[in-house]
Amino acid sequence: MKICFLLHNAYGIGGTITTTFNLAQALAERHEVEIVSVLRHRKQPNFVLDPRVSLRPLVDLRQERQHALHLRPARVFPRAEYRYGQYSELTDRRIRECLATTDADVVIGTRPGLNVHLALEAPPHVARIGQEHLTLDNHSPRLRGALRRAYRRLDVLTTVTEADARVYRRKMRLPGVRVEALPNSVPDPVLPAADNSAKVVVAAGRLVPVKRYDLLIEAFSVVAAAHQDWQLRIYGKGEEHDRLQKLVAELGLWNNVFLMGAAAPMEAEWVKGSIGAAASNFEPFGMTIVEAMRCGLPVVSTDCPHGPGEIIEDGVDGRLVPVGDRDALGAALLELVGDDERRRRAGRAARENARRFAPGPVVAQAEDLLAAAVAARRSGRRVARDRARAHQVAISQGFAARDAALTAASTVRRTIRRTRG
Amino acid sequence: MNTAPSASCTATPDGSITFDLPLPPAQGHQLLLRLRPGKGQPERTLHTLDLEPTDNGRVRAVLGPAPLLEEGRWDVFLLRGGDAPRQRLRPGLRDLRALVDGHLRDREPPLAVRIPYVTTNGCLAIRAWLRPAHAEADGVDVTERTTTVGARLHGTSRRTGAVVRLRLRGGGGVVHTVQPRAGDDGRAFSFTLDHAELVAATGAASGVWDVFVQPAADAPLVRVARLLDDVADRKNVFVYPRIGVDGAVLRPYYTVDNDLSVEVKRPG
């Protein structure tokens, strides 16, 4: 197969870029793979890309930032998409040309706005795979409305969790579209796994409010009180840094809790720890949880939508605690800190159980999906047979009507604000 | 920089570092360690390590416990032999897990510590400390009125007449002395700084006090520092609270060399 990924900006840093590179490189073992980056703002990508994968930018911001068409708003890329401000008539046009002239058998969109382009503009013989790296419930009603109209023209829609796939099937009726969870993959670790003897708990991610590092630090105070020789190391940088540092001071935890700064790759830092921790309110997937587990760390996490609950088996390879529950988070950490044998056992289970996120199984599943979509296009069938019952249709119509009402209400609010202003 | 090879490294508890490079074995290839000279100074101190082939078709060099690396920052280069220019190395994975609990192992003199790290411009380097004796700071307990530091001596032990001396930086020999309390054995001790006393001793301007211990009446001063783990640059990671005292702000902190100091800052 010839496979093309449509990516917002391959030259930045982020989960979608990492996971797209991983998947593209793995597919390149057996297929011809290209990544089309809508935007480019620097010479080299931050991550080194396998030379077998070709990379083609569509709009080079280093020269075209002031292009007349780039100053005019986009019309195909949906207005309600988070990245709308970075798209333009120029991106509309380049993406359309790229799709019209592609010689790929299958094109994979990697964010909602690009999936819309793909759904509306790919030639009839090209299979269309939309990938969602966020979640449906996290999109605005207006964006959900736009996606509801466009996504029917996709062949396959992948989410990163089963839970989100179920939400799509329930709230967005997409007849003929195969909706399936395709988790992110994490490459095989290079270093020997942690032996779970180090008195260190490790967390990693951007220091932003949704990650709730404040909750994790508060929860860790019960661990530090009972086990003075244990540390919590938080890797990452972000807007919350100073507030978290202040919290550490207020709680008197400066001998136990450390904001380590950013580390990439994290592997050598995970293996210094014995337990991984995550306290997010929302986590579409939970890449760091899988990374930690693949390095042999049991992970204590909040059971937030949607990732952690599909990665961690509570009580076996980690712990799941209610979102926002400091005491439960502290108690779950304390349980593993205080019991060496239990921690080692959970660490071994984590390493074993996280193998399902290795590139091998994930890539095999992706290959099956791509092949099914390509075969269906060639034979003029839809990928999924529509088996929706009347009540399921009614449910999804209900959600569509509610999103439309919410969108109309927000339009009215905006109009009123404008009139008053 | 983009063409420079990357080197992963593994540290062992005795301070050895194994460098692993994804290069085919070749005659005459070596690693060069160079003590970074001061601005405008010539390079004085160099060590070379032979690169040996490994079972998996790569090359490897081992920096054993000897030689003793002089204190400072050591840059790592690849030498390809002949006239080929030396090349800085990019950092691969640095497996430093063996260093994390290094403060639990008692050291013999001289104290030699090496931590591989990544420089601000993204190259592999080694941070080295070499001291006749060392006092490793452990817990630092800061309250409104006092700061109490727990520490452990390495390469020496506490005898009669031991004192803790804080030396005012640039203060022409001004020293503030406090009495240490004995710990569980001849190596462990702690001491308490009274914030008001220290602020009064600083005088009218701002000042920085460098913390030393004198393990016996006639012994040389030993710097109190925190060197025995995997953290090469501690200043912005191990952060103690600031305390307002008599119009000044006092703060224990680690210097760029991971030594313990106390800053007393006056407004204006």
Side-chain angles (χ1 to χ4, degrees):
Chain A
M1 278 183 284
K2 175 145 193 210
I3 302 162
C4 170
F5 286 89
L6 195 52
L7 188 59
H8 168 66
N9 185 343
Y11 300 82
I13 298 179
T16 302
I17 300 166
T18 310
T19 194
T20 300
F21 276 34
N22 285 346
L23 183 56
Q25 288 168 165
L27 288 168
E29 301 268 350
R30 281 186 293 277
H31 306 280
E32 199 180 327
V33 183
E34 176 185 39
I35 295 176
V36 170
S37 178
V38 176
L39 300 179
R40 177 192 203 172
H41 66 291
R42 51 180 273 164
K43 187 158 177 275
Q44 296 288 347
N46 283 293
F47 303 101
V48 180
L49 187 61
D50 186 319
R52 288 175 300 183
V53 178
S54 56
L55 176 60
R56 178 160 61 104
L58 296 182
V59 173
D60 196 327
L61 295 171
R62 295 172 302 167
Q63 288 99 38
E64 298 182 301
R65 201 177 283 277
Q66 298 303 319
H67 193 292
L69 291 177
H70 194 52
L71 302 174
R72 303 228 292 257
R75 280 185 287 196
V76 180
F77 194 90
R79 183 181 288 270
E81 228 264 22
Y82 314 95
R83 296 283 186 190
Y84 179 72
Q86 289 167 267
Y87 283 73
S88 65
E89 213 176 304
L90 185 63
T91 60
D92 275 357
R93 189 174 289 194
R94 296 266 169 90
I95 297 169
R96 187 171 65 231
E97 284 163 11
C98 163
L99 289 169
T101 57
T102 186
D103 59 348
D105 302 300
V106 52
V107 179
I108 304 170
T110 55
R111 59 176 304 116
L114 296 176
N115 295 341
V116 168
H117 268 283
L118 182 60
L120 301 179
E121 298 177 333
H125 65 275
V126 174
R128 305 153 179 192
I129 315 278
Q131 288 193 311
E132 269 291 355
H133 289 282
L134 294 173
T135 69
L136 182 60
D137 287 336
N138 202 47
H139 293 329
S140 67
R142 186 184 298 270
L143 180 59
R144 288 199 295 257
L147 301 183
R148 194 171 269 118
R149 288 188 294 278
Y151 276 10
R152 295 171 166 240
R153 300 166 63 107
L154 294 173
D155 295 302
V156 173
L157 177 69
T158 69
T159 58
V160 286
T161 56
E162 289 293 346
D164 193 39
R166 280 196 296 275
V167 173
Y168 266 94
R169 290 185 201 116
R170 194 165 115 79
K171 297 187 174 175
M172 193 178 273
R173 206 173 83 78
L174 302 170
V177 181
R178 182 160 162 188
V179 178
E180 193 168 316
L182 178 71
N184 292 343
S185 69
V186 170
D188 297 332
V190 175
L191 301 176
D195 68 3
N196 306 99
S197 67
K199 296 177 175 181
V200 180
V201 177
V202 182
R206 283 170 304 125
L207 307 185
V208 292
V210 72
K211 299 284 184 186
R212 293 307 307 274
Y213 288 120
D214 56 331
L215 189 80
L216 179 59
I217 290 167
E218 287 177 9
F220 196 77
S221 58
V222 297
V223 176
H227 301 271
Q228 284 179 24
D229 50 354
W230 275 73
Q231 311 182 349
L232 168 63
R233 294 181 166 193
I234 300 174
Y235 290 87
K237 52 186 183 182
E239 68 200 51
E240 286 281 282
H241 180 278
D242 293 355
R243 205 172 71 81
L244 296 173
Q245 192 76 72
K246 213 170 131 221
L247 180 64
V248 169
E250 281 163 15
L251 296 173
L253 289 173
W254 52 80
N255 289 312
N256 299 89
V257 177
F258 303 103
L259 303 178
M260 305 296 293
M266 267 298 293
E267 187 177 339
E269 308 307 328
W270 291 123
V271 299
K272 289 175 188 168
S274 289
I275 300 170
S280 302
N281 285 342
F282 171 69
E283 197 68 77
F285 181 64
M287 195 83 159
T288 61
I289 298 175
V290 179
E291 283 178 11
M293 289 172 70
R294 294 219 68 192
C295 290
L297 274 60
V299 177
V300 176
S301 173
T302 45
D303 191 8
C304 64
H306 288 299
E310 293 187 15
I311 300 170
I312 295 168
E313 192 178 343
D314 189 21
V316 176
D317 50 24
R319 288 297 319 278
L320 291 166
V321 300
V323 172
D325 189 336
R326 181 191 61 199
D327 296 341
L329 185 59
L333 285 168
L334 201 51
E335 205 173 85
L336 285 170
V337 164
D339 187 339
D340 294 352
E341 182 41 42
R342 184 180 196 151
R343 194 169 66 242
R344 263 192 290 275
R345 210 168 44 232
R348 277 195 300 272
R351 190 146 57 101
E352 194 59 43
N353 294 350
R355 285 210 185 119
R356 68 185 190 277
F357 300 105
V362 174
V363 170
Q365 190 199 344
E367 246 173 340
D368 287 349
L369 278 173
L370 300 182
V374 169
R377 277 278 153 191
R378 282 185 185 149
S379 64
R381 287 181 288 108
R382 299 309 315 263
V383 184
R385 269 185 300 151
D386 190 23
R387 282 171 303 203
R389 305 238 174 89
H391 75 277
Q392 288 170 318
V393 174
I395 289 170
S396 74
Q397 282 169 344
F399 282 108
R402 204 171 66 174
D403 283 345
L406 288 167
T407 305
S410 81
T411 309
V412 170
R413 276 197 302 276
R414 262 206 301 275
T415 311
I416 291 171
R417 271 201 300 273
R418 263 202 303 273
T419 321
R420 281 180 187 158
Chain B
M1 272 304 300
N2 275 330
T3 55
S6 71
S8 53
C9 53
T10 308
T12 55
D14 70 355
S16 297
I17 300 169
T18 303
F19 299 90
D20 200 303
L21 283 75
L23 294 176
Q27 274 295 316
H29 283 193
Q30 288 181 309
L31 287 189
L32 170 71
L33 307 183
R34 178 208 57 184
L35 180 63
R36 196 179 302 166
K39 273 213 175 71
Q41 301 293 309
E43 292 181 356
R44 285 181 299 111
T45 315
L46 306 169
H47 290 289
T48 52
L49 305 171
D50 290 334
L51 283 164
E52 310 285 354
T54 65
D55 298 341
N56 53 6
R58 299 157 65 98
V59 290
R60 165 174 297 181
V62 179
L63 174 66
L68 294 171
L69 295 187
E70 234 176 88
E71 185 155 331
R73 294 171 192 267
W74 290 76
D75 296 313
V76 186
F77 298 86
L78 173 66
L79 301 179
R80 294 183 189 261
D83 295 334
R86 66 188 192 184
Q87 262 182 314
R88 290 291 292 273
L89 294 173
R90 284 185 297 124
L93 288 175
R94 284 167 294 123
D95 188 350
L96 308 184
R97 73 183 96 184
L99 304 183
V100 172
D101 63 357
H103 64 288
L104 299 178
R105 291 184 289 277
D106 285 336
R107 316 294 174 107
E108 295 308 313
L111 179 100
V113 174
R114 303 120 159 217
I115 307 177
Y117 75 104
V118 182
T119 65
T120 46
N121 51 11
C123 295
L124 181 65
I126 299 170
R127 194 75 172 81
W129 287 264
L130 182 62
R131 297 179 180 187
H134 166 60
E136 175 79 356
D138 186 5
V140 175
D141 183 20
V142 184
T143 69
E144 284 300 314
R145 307 177 67 157
T146 61
T147 291
T148 300
V149 179
R152 184 167 185 82
L153 288 163
H154 293 268
T156 181
S157 55
R158 188 172 31 76
R159 298 182 298 279
T160 40
V163 288
V164 170
R165 296 192 191 280
L166 282 73
R167 209 156 63 186
L168 189 61
R169 209 180 286 173
V174 175
V175 170
H176 181 74
T177 303
V178 293
Q179 294 304 316
R181 282 181 302 276
D184 298 337
D185 58 16
R187 287 176 176 245
F189 68 99
S190 66
F191 57 94
T192 297
L193 304 173
D194 183 290
H195 293 165
E197 277 180 24
L198 199 60
V199 167
T202 311
S206 298
V208 171
W209 297 90
D210 294 328
V211 183
F212 297 83
V213 57
Q214 192 169 15
D218 53 349
L221 296 185
V222 175
R223 192 73 168 91
V224 178
R226 186 152 181 161
L227 311 177
L228 305 180
D229 65 11
D230 60 308
V231 182
D233 281 301
R234 193 175 310 278
K235 190 172 180 177
N236 297 313
V237 177
F238 283 58
V239 179
Y240 301 121
R242 295 164 197 272
I243 304 292
V245 186
D246 301 337
V249 176
L250 176 147
R251 177 179 69 109
Y253 75 101
Y254 290 104
T255 68
V256 291
D257 294 324
N258 291 352
D259 291 324
L260 183 68
S261 294
V262 182
E263 179 191 53
V264 174
K265 206 166 185 172
R266 300 212 180 259

